[in-house]
Amino acid sequence: MIFSDSYLCGYYGMQNTGDDALLLATAWGAKKFLGDKNHRVSNVAPLHLPGLPYLPAGLKVQQRFRGENRLKQSLHALVSKRVIFGGGSVLHNSHDINLKRQLMTLSGRQGLALGVGLGPFRDSAAEKNCAKFLNECEFVGVRDVDSFALAKHIAPQAKIKLTFDLAPLLLLNKELKFDRVARAGICVCLCPYERLSSDSAAEHQRLMALAQAIVRVHRETGEAITLLDFNGHATLGDKQVHAALRALLPASVPVTHLHYQQNPLVVLQQLATFKVVVSMRLHGSVLAYLADTPVVSLSYHSKCDGWCRQIGQPESLQFDAKQIEVEQLVQVISAGLSQGFMAPTLTPAEAMEKSLTNWSI
């Protein structure tokens, strides 16, 4: 059995660009700041990310027996010096929290939670177990003000710091190069909200409203539309919702559909070629912001609102994804394309500095 410096835990290898970005940032930080020479990863599919060695699948998509992945995770933690939980909204239910606590115990109680979000908790038991987890971690960096306040409330003695999302560390990756091309077009990044709300009728109404807005913006500006999948899962990903939106658009609107891309740096480079990004996906908004591309946020979750507050996103560029105001959306996008969009008060360079505080252990 080969021992490793760190076991990197997250929802990795699940064809999600946001998680790919968090893994890349976590691995980079572990190598630079902790001196890691090798690490294991909780990925369910092989990964080959820029600057990292080939990562074979550490877990199974289809388990051969109940609890196989939990056994594999336990073995990975047992032969690692520490466990790092890198990014994401990872602390909200007892099952996941208790698994993380078990992994830390197996690695010798060396656990770091970096750029994470807390809540909303499923029940009081989840909140109590989260408090135990926070107290057992060597260091916890939370990515937003609400998570920080909650963490300090339930675990006031834990070593917790308000940090930032890990994704801005991608800007330090040596393999990232932005091509100097003229920006063109509007990018749309949706996620299938109906699987979260179980309300297919509301989902259809949302797509109808968005389609109306897109048609009108195209007619006013002539800009082409690109639909970008951030999640490539066969049934839970973005392909279907983007296909449904495309079906609502007339043939006169030029549409390109870009499917899931495993390399988050390529996605970051793609986002830098657009004039504006309209995004439900949190990390669609995050990566577009890092590419200095204006973002219109369609918020479906408190984490989206929290991100907008953190970067000082103008309120005029924030919309409720559950009830899209077509007239206002058309006006904001069209005016921004002709006159320029208001920028967030926090610059990407400042965000990168805040992200680095996750490693001030």
Side-chain angles (χ1 to χ4, degrees):
M1 180 70 73
I2 299 175
F3 285 81
S4 63
D5 293 313
S6 296
Y7 181 35
L8 310 183
C9 287
Y11 299 104
Y12 304 139
M14 301 182 74
Q15 299 190 59
N16 186 298
T17 302
D19 292 327
D20 296 337
L22 296 176
L23 170 58
L24 189 56
T26 302
W28 176 87
K31 180 179 180 180
K32 182 173 180 63
F33 297 104
L34 302 180
D36 276 16
K37 293 183 173 60
N38 58 69
H39 30 242
R40 294 166 179 269
V41 180
S42 65
N43 54 316
V44 296
L47 294 173
H48 200 175
L49 297 174
L52 298 181
Y54 171 77
L55 298 171
L59 303 176
K60 297 281 189 179
V61 176
Q62 296 293 333
Q63 299 184 81
R64 291 171 296 180
F65 56 86
R66 185 177 179 182
E68 180 183 11
N69 277 343
R70 183 156 189 159
L71 177 60
K72 284 180 173 291
Q73 288 178 293
S74 297
L75 289 173
H76 289 316
L78 187 62
V79 297
S80 301
K81 293 179 184 177
R82 69 181 71 85
V83 182
I84 302 178
F85 307 101
S89 300
V90 297
L91 303 171
H92 49 80
N93 74 78
S94 289
H95 180 270
D96 286 346
I97 294 170
N98 286 334
L99 173 58
K100 290 173 172 59
R101 294 178 61 209
Q102 179 189 37
L103 297 179
M104 282 196 297
T105 299
L106 290 170
S107 70
R109 290 195 177 277
Q110 295 295 307
L112 305 174
L114 308 177
V116 298
L118 273 68
F121 297 118
R122 291 189 177 177
D123 48 41
S124 59
E127 181 176 332
K128 292 177 182 177
N129 287 319
C130 183
K132 294 176 183 177
F133 170 82
L134 296 173
N135 283 311
E136 291 164 1
C137 280
E138 181 183 356
F139 177 80
V140 180
V142 293
R143 68 185 183 187
D144 61 89
V145 174
D146 291 342
S147 291
F148 179 70
L150 180 56
K152 294 300 290 184
H153 174 70
I154 65 175
Q157 303 304 315
K159 188 177 180 181
I160 303 166
K161 185 173 182 177
L162 175 61
T163 56
F164 208 74
D165 193 281
L166 287 169
L169 297 181
L170 296 184
L171 295 177
L172 296 173
N173 194 297
K174 293 181 179 179
E175 297 195 28
L176 177 64
K177 293 179 177 61
F178 289 114
D179 296 327
R180 293 185 178 181
V181 298
R183 291 177 179 266
I186 300 167
C187 180
V188 178
C189 305
L190 302 182
C191 60
Y193 185 71
E194 84 282 358
R195 74 178 173 85
L196 303 174
S197 68
S198 301
D199 190 343
S200 58
E203 168 77 346
H204 180 69
Q205 287 298 115
R206 179 174 66 82
L207 291 179
M208 286 286 290
L210 189 55
Q212 292 175 32
I214 288 173
V215 171
R216 287 182 52 186
V217 169
H218 169 71
R219 288 173 178 169
E220 291 182 18
T221 66
E223 297 292 346
I225 308 300
T226 297
L227 308 175
L228 178 58
D229 296 347
F230 258 66
N231 188 313
H233 191 280
T235 56
L236 302 178
D238 304 336
K239 181 178 180 179
Q240 289 86 351
V241 67
H242 284 148
L245 175 61
R246 186 172 189 174
L248 295 173
L249 299 174
S252 59
V253 178
V255 180
T256 301
H257 190 168
L258 298 179
H259 300 297
Y260 166 75
Q261 157 64 245
Q262 187 181 92
N263 185 343
L265 298 185
V266 171
V267 179
L268 190 51
Q269 291 161 344
Q270 290 173 330
L271 292 169
T273 67
F274 298 107
K275 290 184 176 180
V276 64
V277 173
V278 180
S279 182
M280 278 183 72
R281 284 281 176 194
L282 171 61
H283 278 93
S285 296
V286 174
L287 295 192
Y289 160 79
L290 296 178
D292 270 332
T293 303
V295 179
V296 175
S297 174
L298 303 181
S299 176
Y300 75 95
H301 191 278
S302 58
K303 63 184 180 182
C304 301
D305 300 326
W307 166 256
C308 288
R309 288 196 300 273
Q310 276 188 293
I311 65 169
Q313 174 82 336
E315 289 188 11
S316 62
L317 301 182
Q318 300 179 50
F319 288 80
D320 183 354
K322 303 166 196 172
Q323 191 172 4
I324 296 174
E325 297 291 339
V326 175
E327 292 291 336
Q328 185 181 358
L329 183 59
V330 171
Q331 181 181 2
V332 165
I333 296 176
S334 295
L337 289 171
S338 63
Q339 303 167 23
F341 292 91
M342 290 180 61
T345 57
L346 187 76
T347 67
E350 291 170 333
M352 185 179 65
E353 291 298 321
K354 287 179 175 290
S355 190
L356 282 169
T357 61
N358 281 292
W359 300 99
S360 59
I361 301 166

